Amino acid sequence: MSILKAACIGIAGTFLALQFQNTRKEYGMYLGIAVSIFLFLGMNRNLSVIRETLELVGSFVKIDAVYLTAMLKILGVTYLAEFAAAICKDAGYQTIAGQIEVFARLSILAIGMPILKALLLAIRELGQ
């Protein structure tokens, strides 16, 4: 899906959701969630291009697959957390959105720990 299609779908979904703003606000929220999920599913092609490119880079440069996998996981955690937090904020639950964001930050930190450990070990080996 191109960015033009995604933008048009997002704008159309927003205008439709605005129609329910004064009468049935929950319908507007459901419509917003549906449009968001549709756009998320439309990104699969773009995500596969990113994955394939990272695999290609890994084949040219001797990078351990663990690092590329960690990068993809971090990308996934970031997007899903942003997606979920935005839906919670739109529904008026900022506290839950904040907790999702904190959980995502800690998850990213945990995913990155093996990379940090390998970096520290490499620095220690250079110092000896």
Side-chain angles (χ1 to χ4, degrees):
M1 176 183 310
S2 71
I3 185 63
L4 181 62
K5 287 180 186 177
C8 290
I9 291 168
I11 291 170
T14 301
F15 284 149
L16 284 173
L18 285 173
Q19 297 300 315
F20 296 109
Q21 188 174 17
N22 293 329
T23 57
R24 301 292 296 216
K25 193 171 185 173
E26 65 274 7
Y27 288 168
M29 185 181 71
Y30 298 146
L31 184 61
I33 292 170
V35 169
S36 297
I37 290 172
F38 182 74
L39 290 173
F40 176 73
L41 294 175
M43 282 189 357
N44 280 338
R45 187 181 66 170
N46 294 341
L47 293 175
S48 66
V49 168
I50 292 170
R51 182 182 49 85
E52 290 169 3
T53 303
L54 286 175
E55 289 174 355
L56 183 64
V57 168
S59 69
F60 288 142
V61 181
K62 294 193 177 193
I63 299 175
D64 194 1
V66 173
Y67 304 129
L68 296 176
T69 303
M71 286 176 57
L72 288 174
K73 285 181 182 180
I74 289 170
L75 177 67
V77 167
T78 302
Y79 184 75
L80 288 174
E82 185 69 27
F83 178 76
I87 289 175
C88 291
K89 286 177 184 176
D90 286 345
Y93 294 97
Q94 284 80 11
T95 305
I96 295 173
Q99 292 301 315
I100 291 171
E101 291 169 349
V102 168
F103 186 84
R105 288 181 189 116
L106 291 175
S107 297
I108 290 169
L109 184 63
I111 292 168
M113 281 297 131
I115 297 170
L116 178 63
K117 181 180 175 182
L119 178 64
L120 292 175
L121 289 173
I123 291 171
R124 187 171 78 185
E125 287 178 13
L126 287 174
Q128 293 178 353

